[in-house]
Amino acid sequence: MSRQALITGGAGFIGVNLAAVLAADGWKVHVFDLLTRPGTEWNLSWLKRRYPERVTFTRADIRDFSAVREAVRWADVVFHLAAQVAVTTSLADPRADFEVNALGTLNVLEAIRQSGPHRPLLYTSTNKVYGALAGVPVVEEATRYSYADRPWGIDETQPLDFHSPYGCSKGAADQYVRDYARVYGLPTVVFRMSCIYGPHQFGTEDQGWVAHFVISAVTGRAITIYGDGKQVRDVLFVTDLVAAMRAAIDRIDVTAGRVYNIGGGPENTLSVWHEFGPLLADVLGASLSPPTFASWRSGDQKVYVSDIRRAMQDLGWRPKVGVREGLRILADWVRSHRDQLAADRTAR
């Protein structure tokens, strides 16, 4: 009998990639999504065309407990990806941000707790729960910032320091997921993720910067860099994230109740413009227009690199797709869907 997965936010960038891999492997996949984010309707249509017999869909709001409870009853495993994902949006409407991220996550946890037996739950949190990392020494180099004394990056013992309504809502959800494992014995796993990129990502200025820059370059849109462009992130190609997700569920006897920092790690870092820009130009085979530089955004981390050693040990996992290869795959996808992406941006 096929395993059955519920993916909240399953028509989003990560969700559709996860759903496609599971469906290709014989799973029945239930996508739960409100389809409010750009590109989700297109992603869902692509997924249903590709796996018509293995994908079902419910259009519903994660804030609707009755809808969540009904969807959870169907599942063997729950991947909770539905979220409000932008700091800027959280500043404009902190109540909606809280209700989607914190209350929505509580709805999922309560649906699992009340329905029994307890299904494994994987929750996608964010590195933003660590705040601006103000106490971590950083040095400035020619093209990037670097940690002065953290060669492996930030590990899971780093103190939490929520910044912005988004950081607070995701952080609250992160801690609820952890605590439901401790208090109720739910087999939950938290992924605190760095920058994920790949096909099906309709990146914007506020979220999904790698795809946003690629789409902007291909479609001739201007790029704005907030800060000086030397800020560094570790990036992870989406297929590597999906592999980590599957490993976390397959090894739930080890991973239940644990938190993992998930990203490309020290081997997959680059500064957001002074290193990324030349690499993108090389991959595209074309020069890029100079970006506009604007003021730093509140709480922006000069450096964030995930220490992924715990994940590597517990999951038997490591990133396989290097930055150049992943960027080439994403650029090819953007080029092949240029008209769709250009139309999507014009409609916003």
Side-chain angles (χ1 to χ4, degrees):
M1 183 176 178
S2 298
R3 297 184 77 184
Q4 302 184 89
L6 169 64
I7 307 177
T8 71
F13 153 56
I14 294 173
V16 76
N17 278 280
L18 173 62
V21 169
L22 293 178
D25 210 22
W27 287 59
K28 297 287 188 180
V29 179
H30 185 183
V31 172
F32 182 105
D33 203 301
L34 194 56
L35 302 182
T36 55
R37 283 183 57 76
T40 50
E41 292 193 21
W42 188 91
N43 281 344
L44 178 65
S45 177
W46 172 86
L47 183 67
K48 292 177 75 173
R49 287 197 310 272
R50 190 160 186 171
Y51 303 104
E53 303 301 320
R54 295 179 185 166
V55 174
T56 57
F57 170 65
T58 296
R59 183 167 189 165
D61 194 321
I62 200 69
R63 293 170 288 189
D64 181 348
F65 179 63
S66 61
V68 172
R69 182 171 53 192
E70 183 62 29
V72 163
R73 284 202 188 103
W74 183 90
D76 300 317
V77 176
V78 179
F79 296 91
H80 178 36
L81 282 57
Q84 192 296 109
V85 297
V87 172
T88 49
T89 302
S90 78
L91 292 167
D93 193 347
R95 180 177 295 276
D97 171 82
F98 174 85
E99 290 175 350
V100 172
N101 290 346
L103 178 60
T105 299
L106 182 63
N107 283 343
V108 174
L109 289 166
E110 277 294 282
I112 294 172
R113 185 178 74 86
Q114 293 179 18
S115 62
H118 294 163
R119 289 96 166 148
L121 167 68
L122 188 146
Y123 172 65
T124 50
S125 185
T126 171
N127 64 52
K128 292 292 188 277
V129 301
Y130 296 124
L133 300 170
V136 179
V138 169
V139 295
E140 183 175 359
E141 301 174 1
T143 61
R144 62 162 50 201
Y145 295 102
S146 298
Y147 294 131
D149 55 6
R150 303 274 184 111
W152 292 98
I154 301 299
D155 69 18
E156 294 84 358
T157 65
Q158 176 68 27
L160 302 179
D161 185 18
F162 306 157
H163 281 218
S164 79
Y166 170 76
C168 290
S169 65
K170 291 292 286 186
D174 175 308
Q175 292 301 286
Y176 262 100
V177 173
R178 291 190 71 196
D179 202 53
Y180 266 59
R182 288 188 291 239
V183 174
Y184 297 113
L186 269 61
T188 70
V189 185
V190 174
F191 273 14
R192 292 176 182 158
M193 302 194 306
S194 191
C195 299
I196 314 300
Y197 71 105
H200 295 277
Q201 187 174 30
F202 290 70
T204 69
E205 192 170 68
D206 296 323
Q207 196 271 339
W209 68 271
V210 174
H212 168 62
F213 287 176
V214 175
I215 294 167
S216 296
V218 169
T219 60
R221 302 278 178 141
I223 293 174
T224 299
I225 303 294
Y226 294 91
D228 58 14
K230 291 186 178 182
Q231 53 266 55
V232 166
R233 300 292 182 263
D234 64 317
V235 297
L236 183 68
F237 194 69
V238 67
T239 56
D240 283 330
L241 172 64
V242 170
M245 289 175 155
R246 296 196 66 182
I249 295 301
D250 290 343
R251 300 188 178 201
I252 196 66
D253 56 328
V254 173
T255 60
R258 304 213 78 187
V259 172
Y260 297 94
N261 288 350
I262 298 289
E267 295 182 358
N268 293 285
T269 67
L270 72 174
S271 65
V272 301
W273 185 252
H274 298 292
E275 295 169 2
F276 180 83
L279 177 59
L280 177 58
D282 187 48
V283 167
L284 294 177
S287 60
L288 304 182
S289 299
T292 299
F293 287 87
S295 299
W296 288 83
R297 298 196 226 199
S298 176
D300 195 13
Q301 302 152 327
K302 285 189 173 179
V303 185
Y304 185 84
V305 179
S306 307
D307 183 339
I308 58 175
R309 288 177 294 174
R310 177 187 287 184
M312 289 168 64
Q313 176 179 322
D314 287 3
L315 307 181
W317 165 89
R318 69 179 304 120
K320 294 182 179 180
V321 181
V323 178
R324 177 178 289 275
E325 179 188 358
L327 194 56
R328 179 189 58 76
I329 296 169
L330 174 57
D332 287 346
W333 182 83
V334 169
R335 283 167 162 160
S336 66
H337 297 85
R338 176 174 180 155
D339 292 344
Q340 167 67 27
L341 292 161
D344 169 73
R345 293 203 163 191
T346 300
R348 291 181 195 175

